[in-house]
């Protein structure tokens, strides 16, 4: 059974940076497209960024383009989300997700496995 564990969340001031990590186990990581989603209080879960299983396709939400970067290290079975120039509106619980042979979909429904989430709080 695939398991995903996020880490790296925390409290940061606006303009600061954080790097989230998501450790994958229980399957062949290289065969999974990986995505990051977030959910703020009172809002629906939204797409942040994703990378295809081949590494060919990378997608990100307009709200984070130029600030957030998704990357993956297949040797470490880990996907990362580097977040720079954080804004208060980035405050949310961040989830990573895995999609078997996925092409980096923006749709949460396409993902097979989810982590438990990590809290990111950006203060003004």
């Amino acid at each position: 059974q695939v398991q995903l564990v996020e880490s790296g969340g925390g409290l940061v001031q606006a303009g600061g940076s954080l790097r989230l990590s998501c450790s994958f186990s229980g399957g062949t990581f290289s065969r999974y497209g990986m995505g990051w989603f977030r959910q703020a209080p009172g809002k629906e879960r939204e797409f942040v960024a994703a990378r295809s299983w081949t590494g060919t396709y990378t997608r990100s939400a307009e709200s984070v383009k130029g600030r957030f970067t998704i990357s993956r290290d297949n040797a470490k079975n880990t996907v990362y989300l580097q977040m720079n120039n954080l804004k208060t509106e980035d405050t949310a619980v961040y989830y990573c997700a895995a999609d078997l042979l996925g092409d980096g979909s923006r749709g949460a429904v396409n993902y097979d496995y989810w982590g438990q989430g990590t809290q990111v709080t950006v203060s003004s």
Side-chain angles (χ1 to χ4, degrees):
Q1 180 75 357
V2 169
Q3 291 190 322
L4 304 172
V5 179
E6 302 97 335
S7 61
L11 174 64
V12 64
Q13 287 191 327
S17 298
L18 282 175
R19 188 177 80 156
L20 304 183
S21 299
C22 174
S23 177
F24 175 106
S25 63
T28 304
F29 178 67
S30 61
R31 291 170 58 83
Y32 283 81
M34 299 299 296
W36 286 96
F37 292 77
R38 68 185 181 186
Q39 187 166 19
K43 295 188 176 181
E44 292 188 353
R45 189 169 299 190
E46 66 173 359
F47 170 77
V48 176
R51 194 167 177 93
S52 64
W53 74 281
T54 61
T56 303
Y57 302 108
T58 300
R59 297 181 175 86
S60 58
E62 286 297 323
S63 59
V64 305
K65 278 185 178 177
R67 300 188 299 122
F68 291 11
T69 302
I70 185 172
S71 62
R72 61 187 298 159
D73 186 336
N74 286 353
K76 294 183 178 181
N77 288 358
T78 301
V79 62
Y80 304 97
L81 185 68
Q82 177 67 44
M83 305 186 294
N84 299 327
N85 191 21
L86 282 158
K87 304 177 180 180
T88 55
E89 53 263 42
D90 295 318
T91 295
V93 177
Y94 283 71
Y95 300 89
C96 72
D99 175 16
L100 181 61
L101 301 179
D103 65 353
S105 173
R106 298 172 183 269
V109 68
N110 294 313
Y111 289 81
D112 307 297
Y113 301 99
W114 293 81
Q116 83 289 349
T118 186
Q119 177 71 48
V120 171
T121 302
V122 184
S123 64
S124 59

